[in-house]
Amino acid sequence: MAVSFLSHELSDLCIGKPALKSLPISATIGEALFALRQSGEAYVSVWTSDSLKPETKSCAGKLCMVDILCYLCAKDNISSPAAALKNPVSVLLSKEAAALVRCVDSHSRVIDALDLILEGAHILLVPIRSRKKLQLHHSGIFCWLTPEDFARFFFNSISVFSPIAACSVTQLGLVRSTDILAVHHHDPALSALPLIHRALAEQTSVAVVTEDRKLIGEISPSTLTGCDESVAAALAVLSAGDFMAYIDWCTSPPDAAVRALKSLLKKKGMHEMVELMDVVSQPVFSSSTSSSSDEEGEIRKRPRRLRRLGSYSSRMGRRSEEAIVCHPEARWWPSWFRLWRTE
């Protein structure tokens, strides 16, 4: 069985995957936000064109809601988020952005592609099979694979890894004992902005702890990816603990919490953040995205499909202070199964 497992190709993971949504490097952040709303996907890709051969394109990187939230709450933009949404998406792309996205052939072995993920790639671009000749520079014929796609594939073949499943999380090197990203629950959530940005890059979470370092929950980029831009308002004024609770509600916070947040924003003079919350259900700054009035009306009525709904604690019906934890010597498979079944 292990031999047959090694023969699986990436095309096996791409079954049912739609063509990825893409934007030109000249698009605005508002247009990226609009694309995320329309597609309901976690990421949108950004592409550049060769100045000498415009038909030749390459992927410059990927963007998600966390990138936009962090940018809106940056020092230079927090007082005028509407103006910030008009800036080009290029300001969100780091120098390493292109390296995080790797192009691979659909016939590549899964095990070989996994090496690219382990080397630091966040996304793998895979050409979608077509009767037409593949043009690798054209973004419309790609789908993409994330570490979650690989995890799902491996969980479906867990019997192959039976010896590994009996190992503890410490034996497998999964315990991060140093350089842990953490914030106290009474600290301003805004103070955790650099940590959230770093957690996104390192594919981890920011721990929310008490003064005696007791873990009460997390601020997870995976959870923020499923939120909308109104969460930027909560990030701007709430404490880390309150922000953690707010994003657990995702797009359905209680009316009382919304009113309290707006009141706090007004007291701090953040009127544009209040406006951002009020217009969150409307299409935004889509100057280069052409559509008819009927299409715009349909988008206006259609809620954004969310990839994830809150954190693990909220989806399991637990209060945020009841964080899901395991001991260093806990076996890998039972521990991770507790998390996986919440998906």
Side-chain angles (χ1 to χ4, degrees), residues 187-225:
D187 291 344
L190 201 58
S191 67
L193 195 61
L195 298 180
I196 296 172
H197 202 273
R198 182 176 163 189
L200 176 65
E202 298 180 7
Q203 298 185 310
T204 184
S205 296
V206 179
V208 179
V209 299
T210 61
E211 283 74 9
D212 57 356
R213 304 295 288 181
K214 178 183 177 182
L215 177 68
I216 61 173
E218 64 175 5
I219 298 175
S220 169
S222 297
T223 301
L224 291 173
T225 296

Side-chain angles (χ1 to χ4, degrees), residues 228 230-238 246 249 253-281:
D228 56 44
S230 67
V231 171
L235 179 58
V237 294
L238 296 182
Y246 191 89
W249 290 315
D255 291 339
V258 174
R259 289 195 298 269
L261 177 58
K262 287 184 177 180
S263 176
L264 188 57
L265 288 167
K266 291 176 181 177
K267 287 181 180 179
K268 292 181 175 291
M270 296 183 176
H271 300 289
E272 287 205 22
M273 280 292 183
V274 177
E275 293 176 5
L276 184 67
M277 295 181 66
D278 290 336
V279 301
V280 72
S281 62

Side-chain angles (χ1 to χ4, degrees), residues 57 111 139 161 257 271 295-296 313:
K57 300 178 181 179
I111 202 69
S139 63
F161 305 99
H271 300 289
E295 289 172 335
E296 289 178 353
S313 294

Side-chain angles (χ1 to χ4, degrees), residues 51 100 109 112 130 159 162 168 197 216 284 302 316-317 342:
S51 57
L100 299 178
R109 295 192 309 167
D112 294 330
S130 173
S159 59
S162 54
S168 70
H197 202 273
I216 61 173
V284 292
R302 184 176 63 235
M316 289 295 289
T342 66

Side-chain angles (χ1 to χ4, degrees), residues 10 20 45 47 58-59 101-106 123-127 139 142-145:
L10 278 186
L20 64 85
S45 61
W47 293 74
S58 60
C59 185
V101 181
R102 302 288 293 274
C103 180
V104 293
D105 187 81
S106 60
I123 297 289
L124 298 184
L125 290 177
V126 185
S139 63
F142 285 95
C143 69
W144 58 15
L145 298 175

Side-chain angles (χ1 to χ4, degrees), residues 61-73:
K62 63 178 179 65
L63 297 176
C64 68
M65 185 60 68
V66 185
D67 295 302
I68 296 175
L69 292 176
C70 289
Y71 186 73
L72 293 180
C73 290

Side-chain angles (χ1 to χ4, degrees), residues 137-160:
H137 59 262
H138 191 277
S139 63
I141 60 171
F142 285 95
C143 69
W144 58 15
L145 298 175
T146 67
E148 287 82 1
D149 293 309
F150 283 86
R152 191 174 296 110
F153 176 77
F154 291 133
F155 270 112
N156 289 333
S157 308
I158 193 62
S159 59
V160 178

